[in-house]
Amino acid sequence: MRLPKLQISVAITALLGLCSMGTFCVLPDANNGAPPDPSFSCADSEPPAADEAGLFFSDPGGGARPLAADAVLQLEYGPQGGQHVMVTVRHHTSSDGVWAYRLAFQPEAAEPGTPAPEAPRMPVLEGSNTVPVNACASGWTETTAPVFINIMDSGLADTAGEIPKARGLLRLVATPREAGEKASAEVRVQIAM
């Protein structure tokens, strides 16, 4: 009779020991340094006018304002060597449903010609992510999500030690799960290293 109780107490002691060493138990730690999961919220405001976009990248400081062309997005580094930029999207739909957002950053093509020897080399980045989004019923859905970035060439620092910002096009293609028309948006941005 004492043997099973002994085995249980040894097992519990072993689990507690592993947990205290951090090798077995996983405790919540603000997403463990990984990029945050996408967040979604419904926003109250008028539908877009006939000449206004119903899908656009929005300014993180004010959801109803579109992200300005050439806005600077900060590259964030994860603990496992990955990197991402956070973007906010505003989308007006006439009904609820699940949409797939395909986000991408495409680098600007290099200008023809050879740069001067003292000019710093521009960084070359590209990135993407696909996010499922639960659209709000007949209204605006605001989504914040990461775009995972790959660095192909980090560029050269200038004389002040600064690496130039990577320039490119941030694109979004939104596709409803049910048959329907795709929507898309794009804006030129810079990514600061």
Side-chain angles (χ1 to χ4, degrees):
M1 271 306 200
R2 297 186 83 213
L3 187 58
K5 287 184 180 178
L6 179 63
Q7 289 176 343
I8 291 172
S9 63
V10 168
I12 290 173
T13 303
L15 285 174
L16 288 173
L18 286 173
C19 193
S20 68
M21 291 181 354
T23 57
F24 184 75
C25 296
V26 178
L27 302 174
D29 175 28
N31 229 14
N32 249 353
D37 292 329
S39 64
F40 316 99
S41 64
C42 296
D44 293 331
S45 62
E46 295 296 316
D51 60 338
E52 293 179 334
L55 175 70
F56 57 89
F57 290 98
S58 64
D59 188 323
R65 292 189 329 246
L67 185 64
D70 285 322
V72 178
L73 305 175
Q74 188 62 48
L75 190 64
E76 300 177 27
Y77 295 89
Q80 297 176 343
Q83 50 275 331
H84 62 278
V85 292
M86 295 301 293
V87 297
T88 305
V89 174
R90 192 166 161 88
H91 186 190
H92 189 274
T93 57
S94 57
S95 62
D96 61 352
V98 178
W99 289 68
Y101 284 5
R102 289 176 186 82
L103 300 155
F105 176 77
Q106 179 181 352
E108 201 170 68
E111 293 183 18
T114 312
E118 66 278 355
R121 186 176 66 239
M122 299 297 286
V124 180
L125 313 178
E126 70 177 10
S128 64
N129 191 12
T130 300
V131 179
V133 175
N134 292 317
C136 300
S138 189
W140 290 98
T141 304
E142 292 182 350
T143 306
T144 301
V147 178
F148 302 108
I149 300 292
N150 296 318
I151 301 177
M152 282 92 63
D153 182 352
S154 62
L156 296 177
D158 63 16
T159 55
E162 297 291 321
I163 295 177
K165 296 174 182 72
R167 297 176 182 273
L169 197 60
L170 189 58
R171 290 190 172 154
L172 165 64
V173 175
T175 311
R177 177 176 284 179
E178 302 300 323
E181 193 171 322
K182 292 181 182 179
S184 63
E186 61 184 41
V187 64
R188 290 203 173 287
V189 296
Q190 302 176 61
I191 296 180
M193 314 246 321

